[in-house]
């Protein structure tokens, strides 16, 4: 893997760790790069994360890497093997179905509450997030996928922001990162016909008009669309989930 520049800005890192030194900021940057490479599949599921190799790739010291990897263990994106080091967490359809069920349960309930308690400010923020997302997904191109992922996350967060729940936001943020791992493969499926913009538009319109039951059903169908698409492709032999078990 070629050496890559840090994707998180210095300002963003300093905002999260305002009282830390440069070493802590470097750990945050390394964590962000590793997390992105795992989510986007550049570090394959099941692959061994060798400290010496990663030091050269990310141009950081062993201590910084171990701190970043320990954070990724907490995110369940990396597994620790005692004295044997670290591996990228594997992916499997059972895992995707499990996290999807949990996401549906939390997110649909949060959406119902958001619609009940959200006011004019919530509607304005939701409309702004929807418009920005829509401008990028008609049609969605592979070149804009990273930007789309950011705007997609912002739209889903805006949907639920009418009734604040910090714990729900934390849990859903973790589930969203894991879901993105699988969505990267689903978006590359040959012959895919899914219209994500239409799905988003239906959720948005139902939420804005206060139809909480219909909005929740549309959101549930939207969340399940990725696992259903992947399961179908697996059954038809159009895709195989990647794995790289390296001794």
């Amino acid at each position: 893997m070629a050496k890559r520049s840090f994707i998180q800005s210095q300002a963003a890192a300093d905002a999260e760790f305002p009282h830390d030194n440069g070493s802590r900021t470097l750990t945050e940057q390394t964590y962000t790069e590793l997390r992105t490479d795992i989510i986007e599949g550049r570090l394959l599921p099941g692959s061994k994360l060798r400290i010496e190799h990663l030091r050269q790739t990310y141009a950081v010291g062993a201590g910084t890497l171990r701190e970043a990897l320990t954070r990724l263990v907490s995110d369940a994106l990396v597994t620790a093997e005692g004295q044997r080091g670290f591996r990228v967490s594997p992916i499997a359809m059972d895992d995707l179905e499990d996290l999807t069920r949990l996401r549906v349960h939390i997110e649909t309930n949060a959406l119902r509450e958001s619609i009940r308690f959200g006011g004019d400010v919530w509607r304005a923020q939701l409309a702004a997030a929807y418009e920005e997302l829509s401008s990028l997904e008609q049609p969605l191109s592979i070149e804009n996928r990273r930007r789309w992922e950011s705007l997609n996350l912002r739209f889903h967060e805006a949907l639920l922001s009418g009734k604040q729940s910090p714990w729900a936001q934390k849990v859903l943020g973790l589930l969203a990162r894991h879901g993105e791992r699988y969505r990267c493969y689903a978006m590359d499926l040959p012959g895919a016909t899914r219209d994500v913009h239409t799905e988003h538009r239906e959720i948005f319109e139902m939420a804005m008009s206060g139809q909480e039951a219909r909005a929740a059903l549309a959101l549930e169908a939207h969340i399940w669309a990725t696992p259903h698409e992947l399961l179908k492709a697996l059954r038809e032999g159009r895709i195989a989930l990647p794995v790289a078990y390296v001794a």
Side-chain angles (χ1 to χ4, degrees), residues 156-219:
H156 280 269
E157 288 175 341
L159 277 171
L160 312 183
S161 65
K163 180 73 163 60
Q164 292 293 332
S165 172
W167 275 109
Q169 290 175 347
K170 289 178 183 178
V171 173
L172 287 171
L174 177 61
L175 295 175
R177 286 192 289 273
H178 282 267
E180 189 180 344
R181 291 184 78 190
Y182 294 91
R183 189 161 56 248
C184 285
Y185 300 109
M187 292 177 76
D188 290 333
L189 284 174
T193 58
R194 183 179 171 192
D195 187 347
V196 177
H197 175 66
T198 296
E199 295 173 22
H200 284 148
R201 184 178 63 207
E202 182 179 6
I203 298 166
F204 170 73
E205 290 176 350
M206 295 302 103
M208 291 291 282
S209 60
Q211 300 180 66
E212 66 174 77
R214 294 182 67 182
L217 286 172
L219 179 59

Coordinates of all heavy atoms in Angstrom, one line a residue, residues 156-219:
H156 N -29.1 11.2 7.5 CA -29.7 10.3 8.5 C -29.6 10.9 9.9 O -30.5 10.7 10.7 CB -29.0 8.9 8.4 CG -29.5 8.0 7.3 ND1 -30.5 7.2 7.5 CD2 -29.1 7.9 6.0 CE1 -30.7 6.5 6.3 NE2 -29.9 7.0 5.4
E157 N -28.5 11.6 10.2 CA -28.4 12.2 11.5 C -29.5 13.3 11.6 O -30.1 13.5 12.7 CB -27.0 12.8 11.7 CG -26.0 11.8 11.9 CD -24.6 12.3 12.0 OE1 -24.4 13.5 11.5 OE2 -23.7 11.6 12.5
A158 N -29.7 14.1 10.5 CA -30.7 15.2 10.5 C -32.1 14.6 10.7 O -32.9 15.2 11.4 CB -30.6 16.0 9.2
L159 N -32.4 13.4 10.1 CA -33.7 12.8 10.3 C -34.0 12.6 11.8 O -35.2 12.7 12.2 CB -33.7 11.4 9.6 CG -34.0 11.4 8.1 CD1 -33.8 10.0 7.6 CD2 -35.5 11.9 7.8
L160 N -33.0 12.2 12.6 CA -33.2 11.8 14.0 C -32.9 13.0 15.0 O -33.0 12.7 16.2 CB -32.3 10.6 14.3 CG -32.3 9.5 13.3 CD1 -31.4 8.4 13.8 CD2 -33.7 9.0 13.0
S161 N -32.6 14.1 14.5 CA -32.1 15.2 15.4 C -33.3 16.0 16.0 O -33.0 16.9 16.8 CB -31.2 16.2 14.6 OG -31.9 16.8 13.5
G162 N -34.5 15.7 15.6 CA -35.7 16.4 16.2 C -35.8 16.1 17.7 O -36.4 16.9 18.4
K163 N -35.4 15.0 18.1 CA -35.4 14.6 19.6 C -34.0 14.0 19.9 O -33.7 12.9 19.5 CB -36.5 13.5 19.8 CG -36.6 13.1 21.3 CD -37.2 14.1 22.1 CE -37.7 13.5 23.5 NZ -36.6 12.9 24.3
Q164 N -33.2 14.8 20.6 CA -31.8 14.4 20.8 C -31.7 13.2 21.8 O -32.4 13.2 22.8 CB -31.1 15.6 21.4 CG -30.9 16.8 20.5 CD -30.0 16.4 19.3 OE1 -29.1 15.6 19.4 NE2 -30.2 17.1 18.2
S165 N -30.9 12.3 21.4 CA -30.5 11.2 22.3 C -29.0 10.9 22.1 O -28.7 10.2 21.1 CB -31.4 9.9 22.0 OG -30.9 8.8 22.7
P166 N -28.2 11.4 22.9 CA -26.7 11.2 22.7 C -26.3 9.7 22.7 O -25.4 9.4 21.9 CB -26.1 11.9 24.0 CG -27.1 12.9 24.4 CD -28.4 12.3 24.1
W167 N -26.9 8.9 23.5 CA -26.6 7.4 23.4 C -27.0 6.8 22.1 O -26.2 6.0 21.5 CB -27.2 6.7 24.6 CG -26.3 6.8 25.8 CD1 -26.6 7.5 27.0 CD2 -25.0 6.2 26.0 NE1 -25.5 7.4 27.9 CE2 -24.6 6.6 27.3 CE3 -24.2 5.4 25.2 CZ2 -23.3 6.1 27.8 CZ3 -23.0 4.9 25.8 CH2 -22.6 5.3 27.0
A168 N -28.2 7.2 21.6 CA -28.6 6.6 20.3 C -27.7 7.1 19.2 O -27.3 6.3 18.3 CB -30.0 7.1 20.0
Q169 N -27.2 8.3 19.3 CA -26.3 8.8 18.3 C -25.0 8.1 18.3 O -24.4 7.8 17.2 CB -26.1 10.3 18.5 CG -27.3 11.2 18.2 CD -27.0 12.7 18.5 OE1 -26.1 13.0 19.2 NE2 -27.9 13.5 18.1
K170 N -24.5 7.8 19.5 CA -23.2 7.1 19.6 C -23.3 5.7 19.0 O -22.5 5.2 18.2 CB -22.7 7.0 21.0 CG -22.3 8.3 21.6 CD -21.9 8.2 23.1 CE -21.5 9.6 23.6 NZ -21.2 9.5 25.1
V171 N -24.4 5.0 19.4 CA -24.6 3.6 18.9 C -24.8 3.6 17.4 O -24.2 2.7 16.7 CB -25.8 2.9 19.7 CG1 -26.1 1.6 19.0 CG2 -25.4 2.8 21.1
L172 N -25.6 4.5 16.9 CA -25.9 4.5 15.5 C -24.7 4.9 14.7 O -24.5 4.4 13.6 CB -27.1 5.5 15.2 CG -28.4 4.9 15.6 CD1 -29.5 6.0 15.5 CD2 -28.8 3.7 14.8
G173 N -23.8 5.7 15.2 CA -22.6 6.1 14.6 C -21.7 4.9 14.4 O -21.1 4.7 13.3
L174 N -21.6 4.0 15.4 CA -20.8 2.8 15.3 C -21.4 1.9 14.3 O -20.7 1.3 13.4 CB -20.7 2.1 16.7 CG -20.0 0.8 16.7 CD1 -18.5 1.0 16.3 CD2 -20.1 0.2 18.1
L175 N -22.7 1.7 14.3 CA -23.4 0.8 13.4 C -23.3 1.3 11.9 O -23.1 0.5 11.0 CB -24.9 0.6 13.7 CG -25.2 0.0 15.1 CD1 -26.7 0.0 15.3 CD2 -24.7 -1.5 15.1
A176 N -23.3 2.6 11.8 CA -23.2 3.2 10.4 C -21.9 2.9 9.8 O -21.8 2.6 8.6 CB -23.5 4.7 10.5
R177 N -20.8 3.0 10.6 CA -19.5 2.7 10.1 C -19.3 1.2 9.6 O -18.7 0.9 8.6 CB -18.4 3.0 11.1 CG -18.2 4.5 11.3 CD -16.9 4.8 12.1 NE -17.1 4.5 13.5 CZ -17.6 5.3 14.4 NH1 -18.0 6.5 14.1 NH2 -17.6 4.9 15.7
H178 N -19.9 0.3 10.4 CA -19.9 -1.1 10.0 C -20.8 -1.3 8.8 O -20.4 -2.1 7.9 CB -20.4 -2.0 11.2 CG -19.3 -2.2 12.2 ND1 -18.4 -3.2 12.2 CD2 -18.9 -1.4 13.3 CE1 -17.6 -3.1 13.2 NE2 -17.8 -2.0 13.9
G179 N -21.9 -0.7 8.7 CA -22.8 -0.8 7.6 C -22.1 -0.3 6.3 O -22.3 -0.9 5.2
E180 N -21.3 0.7 6.4 CA -20.6 1.3 5.3 C -19.6 0.3 4.7 O -19.4 0.3 3.5 CB -19.9 2.6 5.7 CG -19.3 3.3 4.5 CD -18.6 4.6 4.9 OE1 -18.8 5.1 6.0 OE2 -17.8 5.1 4.1
R181 N -19.0 -0.6 5.5 CA -18.1 -1.6 5.0 C -18.8 -2.5 4.0 O -18.3 -2.8 2.9 CB -17.6 -2.5 6.1 CG -16.7 -1.9 7.1 CD -16.3 -3.0 8.1 NE -15.2 -3.8 7.6 CZ -14.7 -4.9 8.2 NH1 -15.3 -5.3 9.3 NH2 -13.8 -5.6 7.6
Y182 N -20.1 -2.9 4.3 CA -20.8 -3.7 3.4 C -21.4 -2.9 2.2 O -21.4 -3.5 1.1 CB -22.0 -4.4 4.1 CG -21.5 -5.4 5.2 CD1 -21.3 -4.9 6.5 CD2 -21.3 -6.7 4.9 CE1 -20.9 -5.8 7.5 CE2 -20.9 -7.6 5.9 CZ -20.7 -7.1 7.2 OH -20.2 -8.0 8.1
R183 N -21.7 -1.7 2.4 CA -22.3 -0.9 1.3 C -21.3 -0.7 0.2 O -21.6 -0.5 -0.9 CB -22.8 0.4 1.9 CG -23.6 1.2 0.8 CD -24.5 2.3 1.5 NE -23.7 3.2 2.3 CZ -23.9 3.2 3.7 NH1 -24.7 2.4 4.3 NH2 -23.2 4.1 4.4
C184 N -20.0 -0.6 0.6 CA -18.9 -0.4 -0.4 C -19.0 -1.6 -1.4 O -18.7 -1.3 -2.6 CB -17.6 -0.4 0.3 SG -17.2 1.2 1.1
Y185 N -19.3 -2.8 -1.0 CA -19.4 -3.9 -1.9 C -20.7 -3.9 -2.7 O -20.7 -4.2 -3.8 CB -19.2 -5.2 -1.1 CG -17.9 -5.3 -0.4 CD1 -17.8 -5.2 1.0 CD2 -16.7 -5.5 -1.1 CE1 -16.6 -5.3 1.6 CE2 -15.5 -5.5 -0.5 CZ -15.4 -5.4 0.9 OH -14.2 -5.5 1.6
A186 N -21.8 -3.5 -2.0 CA -23.1 -3.5 -2.6 C -23.1 -2.4 -3.8 O -23.7 -2.6 -4.8 CB -24.2 -3.1 -1.6
M187 N -22.4 -1.3 -3.6 CA -22.4 -0.3 -4.6 C -21.6 -0.6 -5.9 O -21.8 0.0 -6.9 CB -21.9 1.0 -4.0 CG -22.8 1.7 -2.9 SD -22.1 3.1 -2.2 CE -22.3 4.4 -3.5
D188 N -20.8 -1.7 -5.7 CA -20.0 -2.1 -6.9 C -20.6 -3.3 -7.6 O -20.1 -3.8 -8.5 CB -18.6 -2.5 -6.5 CG -17.8 -1.3 -6.1 OD1 -18.1 -0.2 -6.6 OD2 -16.9 -1.4 -5.2
L189 N -21.8 -3.7 -7.2 CA -22.4 -4.9 -7.7 C -22.8 -4.6 -9.2 O -23.4 -3.6 -9.5 CB -23.7 -5.3 -7.0 CG -23.5 -6.0 -5.6 CD1 -24.9 -6.1 -5.0 CD2 -22.9 -7.3 -5.8
P190 N -22.5 -5.6 -10.1 CA -22.9 -5.4 -11.5 C -24.4 -5.6 -11.7 O -25.0 -6.4 -11.0 CB -22.1 -6.6 -12.2 CG -21.9 -7.6 -11.1 CD -21.7 -6.8 -9.9
G191 N -25.0 -4.7 -12.5 CA -26.4 -4.8 -12.8 C -27.3 -4.4 -11.7 O -28.5 -4.6 -11.6
A192 N -26.7 -3.6 -10.7 CA -27.6 -3.1 -9.6 C -28.6 -2.0 -10.1 O -28.2 -1.2 -10.9 CB -26.7 -2.5 -8.5
T193 N -29.8 -2.1 -9.7 CA -30.9 -1.2 -10.2 C -31.5 -0.4 -9.1 O -32.5 0.3 -9.3 CB -32.0 -2.1 -10.9 OG1 -32.5 -3.0 -10.0 CG2 -31.4 -2.8 -12.1
R194 N -30.9 -0.4 -7.9 CA -31.5 0.3 -6.8 C -31.5 1.8 -7.0 O -30.5 2.3 -7.4 CB -30.7 -0.1 -5.5 CG -31.3 0.5 -4.3 CD -30.4 0.1 -3.1 NE -30.8 0.8 -1.9 CZ -30.1 0.8 -0.8 NH1 -29.0 0.1 -0.7 NH2 -30.5 1.5 0.3
D195 N -32.6 2.4 -6.7 CA -32.7 3.9 -6.8 C -32.7 4.5 -5.4 O -33.7 4.7 -4.8 CB -34.0 4.3 -7.5 CG -34.1 5.7 -7.9 OD1 -33.3 6.5 -7.3 OD2 -35.0 6.1 -8.6
V196 N -31.5 4.8 -4.9 CA -31.3 5.3 -3.6 C -32.0 6.7 -3.4 O -32.5 7.0 -2.3 CB -29.8 5.3 -3.2 CG1 -29.6 5.9 -1.8 CG2 -29.2 3.9 -3.3
H197 N -31.9 7.5 -4.4 CA -32.5 8.8 -4.3 C -34.0 8.7 -4.1 O -34.5 9.5 -3.3 CB -32.2 9.7 -5.6 CG -32.9 11.0 -5.5 ND1 -32.5 12.0 -4.6 CD2 -33.9 11.5 -6.3 CE1 -33.3 13.0 -4.8 NE2 -34.2 12.8 -5.8
T198 N -34.7 7.8 -4.8 CA -36.1 7.7 -4.6 C -36.4 7.2 -3.1 O -37.4 7.7 -2.5 CB -36.7 6.7 -5.6 OG1 -36.5 7.2 -6.9 CG2 -38.2 6.4 -5.3
E199 N -35.6 6.4 -2.6 CA -35.8 5.9 -1.2 C -35.6 7.1 -0.3 O -36.4 7.3 0.6 CB -34.7 4.8 -0.9 CG -34.9 3.5 -1.7 CD -33.7 2.6 -1.4 OE1 -33.1 2.7 -0.4 OE2 -33.5 1.7 -2.3
H200 N -34.6 7.9 -0.5 CA -34.4 9.0 0.4 C -35.5 10.0 0.3 O -36.0 10.6 1.3 CB -33.0 9.7 0.1 CG -31.8 9.0 0.6 ND1 -30.6 9.0 -0.1 CD2 -31.7 8.2 1.7 CE1 -29.8 8.3 0.6 NE2 -30.4 7.8 1.6
R201 N -36.0 10.3 -0.9 CA -37.1 11.2 -1.1 C -38.3 10.8 -0.4 O -39.0 11.6 0.2 CB -37.4 11.4 -2.7 CG -38.4 12.4 -3.0 CD -38.6 12.6 -4.4 NE -39.2 11.3 -5.0 CZ -39.0 10.9 -6.3 NH1 -38.2 11.7 -7.1 NH2 -39.5 9.8 -6.7
E202 N -38.7 9.5 -0.5 CA -39.9 9.0 0.2 C -39.7 9.2 1.7 O -40.7 9.7 2.4 CB -40.1 7.5 -0.1 CG -41.3 7.0 0.5 CD -41.6 5.5 0.2 OE1 -40.7 4.9 -0.4 OE2 -42.6 5.0 0.6
I203 N -38.6 8.9 2.3 CA -38.4 9.1 3.7 C -38.5 10.5 4.1 O -39.2 10.9 5.1 CB -37.0 8.5 4.2 CG1 -36.9 7.0 3.9 CG2 -36.8 8.8 5.7 CD1 -35.4 6.5 4.0
F204 N -37.9 11.4 3.3 CA -37.9 12.8 3.6 C -39.3 13.4 3.5 O -39.7 14.1 4.4 CB -37.0 13.5 2.5 CG -37.1 15.0 2.5 CD1 -36.6 15.8 3.5 CD2 -37.8 15.7 1.5 CE1 -36.7 17.2 3.5 CE2 -37.9 17.1 1.5 CZ -37.3 17.8 2.5
E205 N -40.0 13.0 2.5 CA -41.4 13.6 2.3 C -42.3 13.1 3.4 O -43.1 13.9 3.9 CB -41.9 13.2 0.9 CG -41.2 13.9 -0.2 CD -41.7 13.5 -1.6 OE1 -42.5 12.5 -1.6 OE2 -41.4 14.1 -2.6
M206 N -42.2 11.9 3.8 CA -43.1 11.4 4.9 C -42.7 12.0 6.2 O -43.6 12.4 7.0 CB -42.9 9.8 5.0 CG -43.4 9.0 3.8 SD -45.2 9.3 3.5 CE -45.0 10.4 2.0
A207 N -41.4 12.2 6.5 CA -41.0 12.9 7.7 C -41.4 14.3 7.7 O -42.0 14.8 8.8 CB -39.5 12.8 7.8
M208 N -41.3 15.1 6.7 CA -41.6 16.5 6.6 C -43.1 16.7 6.8 O -43.6 17.7 7.3 CB -41.1 17.1 5.3 CG -39.6 17.2 5.2 SD -38.9 18.4 6.3 CE -39.3 20.0 5.5
S209 N -43.9 15.7 6.3 CA -45.4 15.8 6.4 C -45.9 15.2 7.7 O -47.2 15.2 7.9 CB -46.0 15.2 5.2 OG -45.7 13.8 5.1
G210 N -45.1 14.8 8.6 CA -45.5 14.3 9.9 C -46.1 12.9 9.9 O -46.7 12.5 10.9
Q211 N -45.9 12.1 8.8 CA -46.5 10.8 8.7 C -45.5 9.8 9.3 O -44.7 9.1 8.6 CB -46.8 10.5 7.3 CG -47.8 11.4 6.7 CD -48.1 11.0 5.2 OE1 -48.7 10.0 4.9 NE2 -47.8 11.9 4.3
E212 N -45.4 9.7 10.6 CA -44.4 8.9 11.3 C -44.4 7.5 11.0 O -43.3 6.8 10.8 CB -44.4 9.2 12.8 CG -45.6 8.7 13.5 CD -45.5 8.8 15.0 OE1 -45.6 9.9 15.5 OE2 -45.2 7.8 15.7
A213 N -45.6 6.8 10.9 CA -45.6 5.4 10.6 C -45.1 5.1 9.2 O -44.3 4.2 9.0 CB -47.1 4.9 10.8
R214 N -45.5 5.9 8.2 CA -45.1 5.6 6.9 C -43.6 6.0 6.7 O -42.9 5.3 6.0 CB -45.9 6.5 5.9 CG -47.4 6.0 5.8 CD -48.2 6.8 4.8 NE -47.7 6.6 3.5 CZ -48.3 7.2 2.4 NH1 -49.2 8.1 2.6 NH2 -47.8 6.9 1.2
A215 N -43.1 7.0 7.4 CA -41.7 7.4 7.4 C -40.9 6.3 8.0 O -39.8 5.9 7.4 CB -41.5 8.7 8.1
A216 N -41.3 5.7 9.1 CA -40.6 4.6 9.7 C -40.5 3.4 8.8 O -39.5 2.7 8.7 CB -41.2 4.3 11.1
L217 N -41.6 3.1 8.2 CA -41.6 1.9 7.2 C -40.7 2.1 6.1 O -40.0 1.2 5.6 CB -43.1 1.6 6.7 CG -44.0 1.0 7.8 CD1 -45.4 1.0 7.2 CD2 -43.6 -0.4 8.1
A218 N -40.7 3.4 5.5 CA -39.8 3.7 4.4 C -38.4 3.6 4.8 O -37.5 3.1 4.1 CB -40.2 5.1 3.9
L219 N -38.1 4.1 6.0 CA -36.7 4.0 6.6 C -36.3 2.6 6.8 O -35.1 2.2 6.5 CB -36.6 4.8 7.9 CG -35.2 4.8 8.5 CD1 -34.2 5.4 7.6 CD2 -35.3 5.6 9.9

